[in-house]
Amino acid sequence: MKNIPIMTPFFTKEEIEQIQEVLQSGWVAQGPKVAEFEKAIADYEKVQYAVATTSCTTALHLLLVCMGLCDKHEVIVPSFTFVATANAVEYTGATPVLAEVYTDTYNINVEWVQELIDNNYDNKDGILINKKNGKILFGIIAVNLFGLCADIPKLNDLANHHGIKIIEDSACALGASINGVHEGGFGNPSCLSFHPRKSITTGEGGMILTDDAELAASLRQMRSHGASISEVNRHSSKGYLLPEFNELGFNYRMTDIQAAVGVAQIRKYDYILTERQNKAKFYDSLIKDRISYLKPPHVPQGYLHTYQSYVCMIDYKALGLNDVEKGNEIRNKLMNALEEIGVATRQGTHAVHSLGYYREKYGYKPFDLAGAYECDRMSLTLPLYVQMTNDDQIYVIETIDRIIKNI
């Protein structure tokens, strides 16, 4: 029996050295190491400013607050995403309007969104107003899911036409790009995650990317209780005096201990990314040769996929089934059998509109967003990490095929 986890972080002695440096410095809260990590990420993603936070969820919340989102607004959010995307909107008092996704890229369906806007909003003096409830459409959160960018150029065109904002939830997508332009480089603010399942990790942690100096300054102030000056600046001059607090802010600060791990991780990210991409290609070839009912991740031309997760779709019709719920039973039996023999898998993520809170509050039914629901029920994430061997990958694919045939 093998033990193949869904993901394991790639650490070397550099992380220990960086942490030791911070501990010996005596400055372990947010400080110079966080600033170093922020600059490293900003340089990597080719943006002007990066603002570290405690998680991608708090990054999204902080960003939306600083952009002015409130209870008079609505924000379009793809349904097939981790619940945190929609939750961040809820935290502000605004309403998330859940949207359909493509079943090949798993990202937001631009044509569906355009139809939603055309059918449900009136343009009054350049502002989109919901015909039923009078709320203002603030913008769209484009989730760059699993390491693949959504169609940001088309979404930007749509947003510019309607006078709304685009925010990129790039929790999974550090380094993802379209025709060489990195996520966060299309003129929209973007949020990253450094959770342990991401390609690089700080344990927990997030980052907001922007080219807007005023927004970056607001984010830095609001992540630290709304303090008028940073802790580093305060301690460099009359540190015994507390700063002024003119805004109701948050404690969303990353520690220098976490940032130390991040600094070591980003330095080896090119290697991590190359390894993940090579292993993804190997999975692609194995699936093509051996499993006709499994659809590997689709990558449009010009897109760079970073494979934070290697997410497939089980083609239930290829298994002779004509119902997604029957297909889901097979998917779940497969995942259970794999778990029992030590191979970890996951569904890709969930369809938010099918989750209890959103079901009950907004009255969604599963097939209201049939594509997102199918992704929820039929997606399958395979193990993928730097230390994984080709033999491990062959074992995973052969075991999947054997189990499916037995089922």
Side-chain angles (χ1 to χ4, degrees):
M1 176 170 155
K2 282 181 175 278
N3 177 25
I4 301 179
I6 192 71
M7 163 64 176
T8 186
F10 180 64
F11 295 138
T12 62
K13 65 179 182 179
E14 293 175 82
E15 284 78 9
I16 296 171
E17 291 169 353
Q18 286 287 328
I19 292 171
Q20 188 173 31
E21 178 186 318
V22 168
L23 295 179
Q24 290 173 341
S25 77
W27 192 304
V28 295
Q30 179 181 285
K33 190 60 71 171
V34 168
E36 182 182 348
F37 184 40
E38 288 172 332
K39 185 179 186 307
I41 293 293
D43 289 348
Y44 190 88
E45 295 287 53
K46 301 179 177 66
V47 297
Q48 289 295 310
Y49 308 101
V51 180
T53 61
T54 55
S55 69
C56 189
T57 306
T58 56
L60 281 167
H61 180 217
L62 183 66
L63 174 61
L64 293 173
V65 168
C66 289
M67 291 179 73
L69 196 68
C70 63
D71 58 3
K72 68 181 181 180
H73 293 127
E74 294 183 335
V75 179
I76 296 172
V77 177
S79 181
F80 192 60
T81 181
F82 188 60
V83 69
T85 312
N87 285 353
V89 176
E90 287 275 319
Y91 297 156
T92 69
T95 301
V97 178
L98 299 176
E100 188 59 284
V101 300
Y102 301 114
T103 57
D104 56 355
T105 65
Y106 311 117
N107 285 324
I108 193 165
N109 185 319
V110 183
E111 293 76 22
W112 191 97
V113 170
Q114 180 64 73
E115 189 174 342
L116 172 77
I117 293 172
D118 291 342
N119 292 339
N120 293 280
Y121 296 88
D122 287 325
N123 190 320
K124 296 182 180 179
D125 300 320
I127 298 173
L128 291 179
I129 308 294
N130 189 304
K131 295 176 184 178
K132 292 182 179 179
N133 61 29
K135 290 196 171 189
I136 298 168
L137 182 60
F138 182 88
I140 302 165
I141 297 181
V143 180
N144 299 320
L145 200 57
F146 306 137
L148 181 72
C149 286
D151 194 338
I152 304 298
K154 275 190 180 179
L155 286 165
N156 276 357
D157 287 345
L158 185 154
N160 291 335
H161 177 73
H162 290 292
I164 59 177
K165 306 285 187 183
I166 298 291
I167 298 101
E168 295 181 44
D169 178 348
S170 295
C172 304
L174 173 67
S177 65
I178 305 174
N179 296 322
V181 180
H182 282 224
E183 65 79 32
F186 291 90
N188 312 310
S190 169
C191 296
L192 300 168
S193 171
F194 304 112
H195 180 273
R197 272 200 62 193
K198 302 306 185 281
S199 298
I200 68 170
T201 183
T202 57
E204 282 281 5
M207 192 86 74
I208 304 161
L209 307 179
T210 181
D211 287 321
D212 185 328
E214 186 176 340
L215 177 59
S218 177
L219 292 165
R220 294 185 193 284
Q221 180 175 333
M222 293 295 284
R223 75 173 169 186
S224 189
H225 302 285
S228 57
I229 62 171
S230 72
E231 290 292 296
V232 173
N233 289 338
R234 179 168 74 87
H235 282 280
S236 66
S237 175
K238 296 184 179 180
Y240 52 83
L241 293 178
L242 291 174
E244 186 65 72
F245 292 86
N246 299 315
E247 302 284 346
L248 180 63
F250 308 92
N251 182 2
Y252 285 170
R253 295 171 295 190
M254 179 182 281
T255 70
D256 266 25
I257 298 172
Q258 292 169 291
V261 178
V263 167
Q265 289 271 283
I266 190 62
R267 287 176 181 174
K268 59 171 73 82
Y269 185 51
D270 284 340
Y271 171 74
I272 291 171
L273 178 55
T274 299
E275 286 295 302
R276 296 182 73 85
Q277 289 176 321
N278 288 341
K279 293 178 195 306
K281 288 177 183 177
F282 190 53
Y283 265 143
D284 288 347
S285 65
L286 290 172
I287 290 170
K288 181 180 177 182
D289 292 342
R290 306 183 189 204
I291 306 184
S292 61
Y293 51 81
L294 206 57
K295 297 178 182 178
H298 173 66
V299 184
Q301 187 173 358
Y303 285 61
L304 186 148
H305 200 317
T306 62
Y307 296 101
Q308 175 269 331
S309 292
Y310 188 90
V311 181
C312 307
M313 284 281 278
I314 295 177
D315 184 352
Y316 63 90
K317 293 179 181 177
L319 292 174
L321 304 171
N322 57 9
D323 182 279
V324 71
E325 300 294 10
K326 291 179 181 177
N328 176 249
E329 290 179 18
I330 298 296
R331 196 274 311 264
N332 291 352
K333 286 180 180 179
L334 169 64
M335 293 171 70
N336 185 64
L338 287 166
E339 187 79 14
E340 288 179 349
I341 62 171
V343 178
T345 56
R346 300 286 187 276
Q347 67 185 89
T349 188
H350 38 229
V352 175
H353 77 280
S354 70
L355 301 177
Y357 175 87
Y358 291 93
R359 243 184 10 245
E360 293 174 17
K361 183 171 182 178
Y362 298 108
Y364 287 109
K365 295 180 175 57
F367 288 97
D368 287 348
L369 299 168
Y373 188 64
E374 182 176 339
C375 291
D376 175 300
R377 308 301 274 179
M378 299 310 303
S379 59
L380 179 69
T381 305
L382 304 186
L384 183 68
Y385 46 93
V386 171
Q387 304 91 320
M388 195 173 191
T389 66
N390 283 358
D391 286 345
D392 289 337
Q393 292 185 265
I394 292 168
Y395 177 78
V396 169
I397 295 301
E398 288 181 344
T399 305
I400 287 172
D401 198 33
R402 174 174 55 79
I403 291 170
I404 286 289
K405 286 174 178 174
N406 287 338
I407 292 172

